[in-house]
Amino acid sequence: MSWEPIVKEQSDWPVVPNLRNYAQAIEDFSWRRAQQELQGLPAGRGLNIAHEAVDRHANTTGNHLALRWLGKNGDVLDFSYEDLRKLTNRFANVLRQLGVSPGERVFALAGRLPELYLAALGTFKNRSVFCPLFSAFGPEPIKARINIGGAKVLVTTEALYQRKVAGIREALPSLEHVLLIGTDQQPTHIPGTLDFHQLMREASDEFTIQLTAPEDIALLHFTSGTTGTPKGAVHVHGAVVAHHITGKLALDLHPEDVFWCTADPGWVTGTSYGIIAPLTNGVTMVVDEADFDAERWYRILQEQKVTVWYTAPTAIRMLMKAGAEIVQKYDLSHLRFLASVGEPLNPEAVVWSQKIYGKPFHDNWWQTETGGIMIANYASMDIRPGSMGKPLPGIEAAIVNKTPDGKIEVVTAPEIQGELALRPGWPSMFRAYLNEPERYQKCFADGWYLTGDLARRDADGYFWFIGRKDDVIKTSGHLIGPFEVESILLEHAAVAEAGVIGKPDPVAMEIVKAFVSLKPGYEASDALRRELFAHARSRLGAVVAPKEIEFRDKLPRTRSGKIMRRLLKAQELGLPTGDTSTLEDS
Ligand code: ATP
Ligand code: MG
């Protein structure tokens, strides 16, 4: 694949980037210095996420707008850093009064409501463990996660409780308190529950965060479940050092920014970069309650004067599907930095955004397990479309291969594919998979954390995603990453989405099969299929190009927006579909 790099001249910088020179930043970096950007709790009481995110700023720039909430029906609520300080103090007091101790789990099952954000930060203050769940989960995934996590408290809404939790309440033995976010500020009267707002009103808005050790557990996050049963990744308060510095260096957050992370806190991006990193960096963050809608999104970017926008490839592809014309109706001139995460970002999308918005999307890579961005395209660095960029300062990333006797061999030559590995020791690394010590141990070998993703590094140090280990296709002696094939299909004007799998074949071992959904205005037909075959063959060669193409209205995705290739494969082979608790339409 050949794509022209997007070259950035210093004269193009609208704001001087926090990371001005990559090589210099690597040389100057130490985690100790990164930690010094934070304050620490007064009187040497340690390091607490909520203090760094909220109280630290409330004490200095308390009137600055911290959170602007956009309700799906047009309501707008504003919270300054001082407002957040008081309200999260109240929630911490609520927990304390309910007898919730440090280390005990507080779950949230709610849409993107202000209360969700207050609960998260208040939970950190009480040194309890916060675990956000997607509000769209059905009763079974809710039950499984609450029981795995041993939730003591659940914060949810009246509607969600009645629809999804009341019926399984008996099967949730650890759950002692359910706090309901009522409608219209009216107290709720459902047996066995408490009223969130009433408790908040009665609680004091003063709270002193007690000694918080950097290794104290702060967060429990379930992975997206793209490859199988979701795992509960455990994160500590010390992770805030990584949240903060990666927000500053990879997303280029400056205190005067208006930042919009479109992710739901039900997956890790929506917490690390939808709550913590923007606040530790002192920005104004926008939270939109509504789901994706192209016009709404452009209106938000315009009206809120968003400067930094962090979203995901699925959303970007949906915006591409919505077309370039509607963009003309909006003033997006405040946008300064665009970033993407969650799935491979196909080169076409980067080039499209450069053409249509005048700014490229910056892909970055990380996982629930890493807690924060590990590899990124920076504001000051040229982009090679299709590449994830280069490791963050403080992060040692390598391409490795496991030898037959289980040793890890680091690949030093460029352009060789292997597993992407990280040197343990960065602050936001997960500390456990809850209740699964063996699964955790298996992720580490020879002093490396093995990510389960395959990648390669070019001669200039850029990392390129190939695919998940589970998704790689072996055909006629070749290893093919689905991303490469999907990216080429996505170049075609008719293609909105593509998912590629290996289909077992007696001769070739596997053949490449593509599932494709189309943009509005295109009809599935044999002629179009032939055109796609020809396009793919001319770009990829006969070995790598798909042998089969099937049209679908849409592709199965996780709620965090990732194509579930394992499901496409299971459906293709008529096999059991496995864990589908995070499937978008389940
Ligand atoms: P599970 O581990 O339960 O199967 P998951 O891996 O999808 O789910 P997450 O932790 O949300 O859960 O996703 C991390 C994964 O997403 C990465 O390991 C990688 O496969 C993919 N990913 C994230 N960002 C990128 C990116 N920029 N380019 C390519 N892949 C990415
Ligand atoms: Mg994973």
Side-chain angles (χ1 to χ4, degrees), residues 370-419:
T370 70
I373 302 169
M374 297 284 110
I375 296 178
N377 286 286
Y378 305 89
S380 59
M381 199 172 83
D382 293 351
I383 295 179
R384 299 187 177 175
S387 161
M388 313 189 279
K390 297 188 184 185
L392 265 285
I395 300 300
E396 185 184 350
I399 304 296
V400 307
N401 279 310
K402 227 181 196 163
T403 61
D405 57 348
K407 286 263 169 299
I408 295 297
E409 240 171 37
V410 175
V411 177
T412 47
E415 302 295 353
I416 308 282
Q417 78 177 46
E419 185 161 1

Side-chain angles (χ1 to χ4, degrees), residues 521-537:
Y522 291 91
E523 289 286 331
S525 69
D526 284 341
L528 179 56
R529 185 180 289 114
R530 277 195 300 276
E531 209 180 299
L532 292 177
F533 277 133
H535 169 72
R537 231 172 279 135

Side-chain angles (χ1 to χ4, degrees), residues 257-279:
D257 276 317
V258 176
F259 173 64
W260 184 24
C261 168
T262 62
D264 189 280
W267 75 293
V268 71
T269 303
T271 302
S272 293
Y273 300 98
I275 307 180
I276 301 170
L279 295 178

Side-chain angles (χ1 to χ4, degrees), residues 90-91 94-95 97-98 115 153-159 161 169 176-203:
R90 282 181 191 269
F91 190 76
V94 167
L95 292 181
Q97 278 154 19
L98 291 173
E115 291 85 346
V153 178
L154 175 68
V155 177
T156 186
T157 65
E158 210 174 307
Y161 182 77
R169 181 79 190 263
E176 289 182 24
H177 308 289
V178 174
L179 277 49
L180 291 189
I181 305 163
T183 48
D184 304 317
Q185 309 291 310
Q186 295 295 320
T188 61
H189 296 292
I190 299 176
T193 70
L194 300 164
D195 183 82
F196 180 96
H197 286 288
Q198 192 175 338
L199 291 170
M200 288 286 276
R201 275 192 299 275
E202 289 164 7

Side-chain angles (χ1 to χ4, degrees), residues 223-227 231 342-344 363-364 367-368 453 468 562:
T223 60
S224 291
T226 313
T227 55
K231 299 148 270 188
E343 270 206 305
D363 188 20
N364 57 57
Q367 314 175 298
T368 309
D453 285 345
R468 294 161 183 270
K562 297 161 199 275

Side-chain angles (χ1 to χ4, degrees), residues 288-307:
D288 181 30
E289 186 193 9
D291 289 331
F292 175 87
D293 174 83
E295 293 260 359
R296 181 180 172 97
W297 277 31
Y298 288 131
R299 206 169 57 241
I300 290 173
L301 292 170
Q302 169 179 284
E303 286 175 1
Q304 302 308 322
K305 301 185 169 60
V306 172
T307 57

Side-chain angles (χ1 to χ4, degrees), residues 63-316:
N63 292 329
H64 190 58
L65 182 59
L67 165 61
R68 167 159 293 172
W69 177 79
L70 308 174
K72 56 182 170 208
N73 299 324
D75 303 341
V76 178
L77 287 176
D78 280 348
F79 300 86
S80 68
Y81 278 90
E82 177 60 12
D83 294 335
L84 282 190
R85 185 184 76 82
K86 288 191 176 136
L87 289 164
T88 57
N89 280 351
R90 282 181 191 269
F91 190 76
N93 280 318
V94 167
L95 292 181
R96 185 185 280 173
Q97 278 154 19
L98 291 173
V100 183
S101 305
E104 291 189 312
R105 269 77 60 207
V106 176
F107 275 51
L109 176 75
R112 289 181 293 280
L113 297 173
E115 291 85 346
L116 172 64
Y117 295 77
L118 303 178
L121 294 159
T123 300
F124 298 145
K125 285 189 169 179
N126 193 49
R127 299 169 298 146
S128 305
V129 178
F130 186 70
C131 180
L133 298 179
F134 279 110
S135 58
F137 279 159
E140 279 308 312
I142 294 170
K143 184 169 87 185
R145 285 164 181 75
I146 284 184
N147 285 334
I148 293 172
K152 182 164 183 171
V153 178
L154 175 68
V155 177
T156 186
T157 65
E158 210 174 307
L160 287 170
Y161 182 77
Q162 284 182 314
R163 276 215 324 271
K164 303 180 177 191
V165 185
I168 55 166
R169 181 79 190 263
E170 294 297 306
L172 309 173
S174 65
L175 193 61
E176 289 182 24
H177 308 289
V178 174
L179 277 49
L180 291 189
I181 305 163
T183 48
D184 304 317
Q185 309 291 310
Q186 295 295 320
T188 61
H189 296 292
I190 299 176
T193 70
L194 300 164
D195 183 82
F196 180 96
H197 286 288
Q198 192 175 338
L199 291 170
M200 288 286 276
R201 275 192 299 275
E202 289 164 7
S204 156
D205 62 14
E206 288 305 322
F207 185 89
T208 304
I209 303 175
Q210 297 302 313
L211 180 68
T212 313
E215 285 300 307
D216 283 352
I217 297 173
L219 273 164
L220 171 63
H221 253 300
F222 288 92
T223 60
S224 291
T226 313
T227 55
T229 313
K231 299 148 270 188
V234 170
H235 288 285
V236 297
H237 275 275
V240 68
V241 179
H243 296 142
H244 176 78
I245 206 73
T246 53
K248 182 167 175 176
L249 300 181
L251 301 179
D252 200 34
L253 294 177
H254 292 68
E256 51 284 358
D257 276 317
V258 176
F259 173 64
W260 184 24
C261 168
T262 62
D264 189 280
W267 75 293
V268 71
T269 303
T271 302
S272 293
Y273 300 98
I275 307 180
I276 301 170
L279 295 178
T280 65
N281 280 285
V283 310
T284 294
M285 64 179 199
V286 171
V287 170
D288 181 30
E289 186 193 9
D291 289 331
F292 175 87
D293 174 83
E295 293 260 359
R296 181 180 172 97
W297 277 31
Y298 288 131
R299 206 169 57 241
I300 290 173
L301 292 170
Q302 169 179 284
E303 286 175 1
Q304 302 308 322
K305 301 185 169 60
V306 172
T307 57
V308 181
W309 182 28
Y310 194 22
T311 188
T314 354
I316 298 168

